[in-house]
Amino acid sequence: MYAPLYGIQIAFRNFMPALGISGGKWVGMEHFVQFFNSPYFLRLIKNTLGISVYSIVVGFPIPIILALLINEVRNKYFQKSVQTIVYLPHFISAVVVVSIITSLLSPSNGLINQVIEFFGGDPIFFMAEPKYFKTIYVLSDIWQSAGYGSIVYLAALTSIDPSLYEAARVDGATKWQQLIHITLPSLLPTIMIMLILRMGGIFTVGYEKILLMYNEATYPTADVISTYVYRRAFENGEYSFSAAIGLFN
């Protein structure tokens, strides 16, 4: 964990592979100043935070709701079948997920555009429209991760004392009242821990999926810090500048 920190110094040097990590000229904060003065700085911060906050607001409650619904199923065979189905997308690679999204949203033969045309609308090139990118990314991410994310909450639900529900039923509490006064308060510590962990990674957006999804037309809303670092490092060969951005992040 600590040994690779030696390489951070390239963020403060003009790194040249032939000279090694410590062989480049020391330039101090030059790369950081260049990034902060870049016309892309505010856009990258806005997009990174925008996608993260969107994912938290829309996606965070879904695993909780899913766990509550699964927990209410009394037929164990049906319950296990549903759990398996909703877990499976988590194990699909980002490449396959993006391929599915691209096929569904294709302007020529995609299912979504076929439905739009059926109702008299014109086909939309979703993958080339900046305004749709965040929604497509977040919804596909929810589909892929909600089932797996519900495992933690299902485990927390099994630890709730059944006698609390028995006492509530004796007192005439409805299912809704049991949910509000027993289930959710019992889940609250787990929910808060998961929310804190999620907030801790608010600047960490899965760049692999974005790299596969975005294009130059969607850069205004799709380009985040991690994808910008990737382009500057591996396409332009600006290793020191990219290291400075990564260290800032």
Side-chain angles (χ1 to χ4, degrees):
M1 295 293 289
Y2 292 102
L5 294 178
Y6 173 76
I8 286 177
Q9 62 178 294
I10 70 172
F12 305 93
R13 296 180 181 274
N14 281 330
F15 173 70
M16 296 180 66
L19 299 177
I21 290 175
S22 59
K25 179 185 176 184
W26 184 270
V27 295
M29 302 296 288
E30 181 181 313
H31 300 302
F32 293 91
V33 173
Q34 182 185 345
F35 176 55
F36 298 150
N37 290 331
S38 166
Y40 302 110
F41 176 72
L42 290 178
R43 187 180 81 177
L44 294 170
I45 298 294
K46 178 184 175 183
N47 289 345
T48 304
L49 283 175
I51 291 175
S52 290
V53 172
Y54 194 174
S55 296
I56 292 172
V57 172
V58 178
F60 185 77
I62 302 298
I64 303 170
I65 296 168
L66 187 59
L68 292 171
L69 292 174
I70 292 173
N71 189 59
E72 288 300 318
V73 176
R74 292 292 166 255
N75 186 315
K76 294 301 178 184
Y77 294 106
F78 180 68
Q79 185 187 62
K80 296 298 181 184
S81 299
V82 171
Q83 282 180 290
T84 303
I85 291 168
V86 297
Y87 292 168
L88 283 176
H90 175 77
F91 302 101
I92 301 174
S93 73
V95 176
V96 176
V97 171
V98 174
S99 297
I100 294 170
I101 294 169
T102 304
S103 298
L104 285 173
L105 300 178
S106 170
S108 56
N109 55 9
L111 178 62
I112 304 300
N113 273 307
Q114 287 181 14
V115 172
I116 292 172
E117 288 181 311
F118 178 79
F119 287 102
D122 296 321
I124 302 169
F125 196 172
F126 289 99
M127 301 301 284
E129 289 282 352
K131 62 182 178 181
Y132 296 121
F133 183 87
K134 286 188 175 74
T135 301
I136 295 169
Y137 178 88
V138 170
L139 292 182
S140 62
D141 198 51
I142 291 171
W143 172 76
Q144 192 173 11
S145 62
Y148 193 79
S150 67
I151 294 174
V152 175
Y153 301 107
L154 282 168
L157 286 168
T158 60
S159 66
I160 300 174
D161 188 353
S163 64
L164 293 173
Y165 293 105
E166 293 170 7
R169 284 193 292 269
V170 169
D171 289 338
T174 62
K175 281 285 185 182
W176 178 253
Q177 290 171 326
Q178 291 174 42
L179 173 69
I180 297 298
H181 297 289
I182 299 174
T183 308
L184 288 180
S186 299
L187 277 181
L188 192 58
T190 304
I191 293 171
M192 292 307 298
I193 290 170
M194 297 303 292
L195 181 60
I196 290 168
L197 291 172
R198 186 75 176 269
M199 292 296 291
I202 198 165
F203 270 95
T204 306
V205 179
Y207 74 96
E208 301 95 340
K209 189 174 167 187
I210 293 179
L211 280 173
L212 293 166
M213 285 179 62
Y214 79 167
N215 52 65
E216 290 189 16
T218 57
Y219 278 179
T221 58
D223 199 19
V224 295
I225 293 174
S226 54
T227 55
Y228 185 69
V229 167
Y230 179 89
R231 287 203 315 278
R232 296 299 291 261
F234 299 109
E235 293 180 10
N236 299 350
E238 299 175 71
Y239 301 111
S240 292
F241 182 65
S242 301
I245 302 172
L247 182 57
F248 161 76
N249 193 35

